[in-house]
Amino acid sequence: MASANGSSVTEFILLGLTQQSELQLPLFFLFLGIYVVSMLGNLGLIVLIYLNSHLHTPMYYFLFNLSFTDLCYSSVITPKMMSSFVKQNIISYAECMAQLFFFAFFVINECCILTSMAYDRYVAICKPLLYRITMSYQVCLMLMVGGYVIGFTGAMAHTGCMLRLNFCDRNVINHYMCDIPPLLHLSCTSTTISELVVFIVVGVSIIVPSFTIFISYTLILFNILQIHSTKGRSKAFSTCSSHLMAVSLFFGSSAFIYFKSSPAGSGDEDKVSTVFYTIVGPVMNPFIYSLRNKDVQVALHKTLKKRMLP
């Protein structure tokens, strides 16, 4: 049976992260543990923010959405990846396109959330007197809705381009998921339009947010250096350091994949780099934002105390 796009391929074989048999079982348990911790960490942060009214501020509103996004796109990737460690990982054409869509949707949305968080920190540090007005509930809601709309639009563009391609009899994907570069590499028809769309969408999703974050933190740095109090500077740096760690991990690894000289290529280094923003990022973010955040620590202590006391 031919697939919807006229290609003879109805299913793909995902080679997974590695073909070394001695590493399959250890890696399965490693990523199973990472996935469980990621689910518990992000879900715990979501519940914690929801239950504690003093965390109902713009900063934690964005963090709530970041945890939700990490929870979702980690679930889109990791379970299917783990199955490749124990058996031949076969994914249907429709499932592959669906995975690509939701992966692109959540990744682009995460870019927008991280950018909104940088803007929030800029307003909080550089324009504290205008913070309540500038970062009102309506503004935060518009930023989040805008992020989801941009994510949906970008995901539709990527998936639409993939649906136009023919794969003939080439159905072995050298990856652990249906990502854009390895799929372009398999196509037996011209990928020029698809590569152009990748360049435009990924450029808008990575370059624009990166530039916005860079400008925000440049202004924040100038403002912090003007603070005379050592305690004040330390508090300001502490407020921003968690976000900078998350931004560096996410944008650094994703930029490496999509801005190489040949977007249609795929190799083992691509898979390793992809692990950082699809699996390592979602599991690290809850710890980055909780271990270095006193408000979250206090909220966790109060919540546990309430649950433990009769």
Side-chain angles (χ1 to χ4, degrees), residues 28 35 73-84 89:
F28 172 81
Y35 180 63
Y73 92 75
S74 181
S75 297
V76 168
I77 301 302
T78 312
K80 194 65 180 174
M81 173 194 184
M82 289 190 299
S83 66
S84 66
N89 197 356

Side-chain angles (χ1 to χ4, degrees), residues 246-282:
V247 166
S248 300
L249 178 63
F250 182 83
F251 282 99
S253 54
S254 59
F256 174 81
I257 297 296
Y258 294 103
F259 286 104
K260 296 191 307 177
S261 58
S262 176
S266 180
D268 290 340
E269 70 276 6
D270 292 0
K271 291 187 281 188
V272 173
S273 297
T274 307
V275 165
F276 281 96
Y277 73 91
T278 58
I279 297 172
V280 176

Side-chain angles (χ1 to χ4, degrees), residues 15 17-28 84-87:
L15 290 183
L17 187 61
T18 179
Q19 294 296 295
Q20 299 182 44
S21 57
E22 67 275 11
L23 295 177
Q24 302 290 341
L25 201 57
L27 286 175
F28 172 81
S84 66
F85 294 128
V86 294
K87 63 178 182 180

Side-chain angles (χ1 to χ4, degrees), residues 17-308:
L17 187 61
T18 179
Q19 294 296 295
Q20 299 182 44
S21 57
E22 67 275 11
L23 295 177
Q24 302 290 341
L25 201 57
L27 286 175
F28 172 81
F29 287 109
L30 172 64
F31 285 104
L32 176 62
I34 290 175
Y35 180 63
V36 171
V37 173
S38 177
M39 293 298 101
L40 293 176
N42 284 292
L43 187 59
L45 203 52
I46 289 172
V47 172
L48 196 65
I49 294 172
Y50 177 79
L51 292 178
N52 290 271
S53 58
H54 74 279
L55 295 182
H56 295 177
T57 62
M59 175 181 174
Y60 295 104
Y61 175 74
F62 294 132
L63 184 54
F64 181 96
N65 281 274
L66 180 67
S67 294
F68 172 74
T69 300
D70 283 340
L71 190 73
C72 291
Y73 92 75
S74 181
S75 297
V76 168
I77 301 302
T78 312
K80 194 65 180 174
M81 173 194 184
M82 289 190 299
S83 66
S84 66
F85 294 128
V86 294
K87 63 178 182 180
Q88 187 179 50
N89 197 356
I90 298 176
I91 185 171
S92 70
Y93 178 85
E95 290 174 331
C96 185
M97 294 301 109
Q99 186 187 58
L100 173 64
F101 173 83
F102 286 109
F103 167 68
F105 172 71
F106 289 118
V107 166
I108 294 173
N109 184 48
E110 176 138 345
C111 292
C112 297
I113 294 174
L114 291 172
T115 306
S116 298
M117 294 175 77
Y119 177 67
D120 172 72
R121 292 300 83 205
Y122 159 72
V123 177
I125 295 174
C126 299
K127 300 181 182 296
L129 298 179
L130 299 175
Y131 184 75
R132 289 183 177 274
I133 298 174
T134 307
M135 300 304 297
S136 65
Y137 172 76
Q138 290 78 10
V139 171
C140 293
L141 182 62
M142 287 175 60
L143 287 172
M144 285 300 94
V145 171
Y148 285 106
V149 169
I150 293 172
F152 178 80
T153 303
M156 284 294 292
H158 283 312
T159 310
C161 285
M162 290 301 156
L163 290 172
R164 293 178 63 255
L165 299 178
N166 291 328
F167 298 97
C168 302
D169 294 323
R170 304 174 65 185
N171 70 333
V172 180
I173 300 176
N174 185 25
H175 213 299
Y176 57 81
M177 67 175 185
C178 291
D179 199 5
I180 298 166
L183 283 173
L184 291 176
H185 184 66
L186 285 183
S187 176
C188 58
T189 54
S190 174
T191 61
T192 303
I193 295 177
S194 298
E195 290 181 18
L196 179 61
V197 170
V198 169
F199 181 79
I200 294 172
V201 175
V202 175
V204 171
S205 303
I206 294 180
I207 293 179
V208 174
S210 298
F211 182 73
T212 303
I213 292 170
F214 175 77
I215 294 297
S216 296
Y217 276 100
T218 300
L219 296 174
I220 287 172
L221 179 62
F222 285 141
N223 192 274
I224 289 176
L225 293 176
Q226 293 176 4
I227 299 175
H228 299 293
S229 168
T230 304
K231 184 178 180 180
R233 284 198 299 269
S234 177
K235 183 179 179 180
F237 274 121
S238 178
T239 302
C240 300
S241 59
S242 298
H243 183 249
L244 280 174
M245 290 171 64
V247 166
S248 300
L249 178 63
F250 182 83
F251 282 99
S253 54
S254 59
F256 174 81
I257 297 296
Y258 294 103
F259 286 104
K260 296 191 307 177
S261 58
S262 176
S266 180
D268 290 340
E269 70 276 6
D270 292 0
K271 291 187 281 188
V272 173
S273 297
T274 307
V275 165
F276 281 96
Y277 73 91
T278 58
I279 297 172
V280 176
V283 76
M284 289 298 295
N285 284 344
F287 295 100
I288 290 174
Y289 287 104
S290 59
L291 295 178
R292 299 178 60 84
N293 192 305
K294 291 184 179 179
D295 290 336
V296 174
Q297 293 173 11
V298 170
L300 178 61
H301 177 74
K302 288 183 177 179
T303 303
L304 292 176
K305 191 175 180 180
K306 287 180 182 179
R307 295 296 178 270
M308 292 174 65

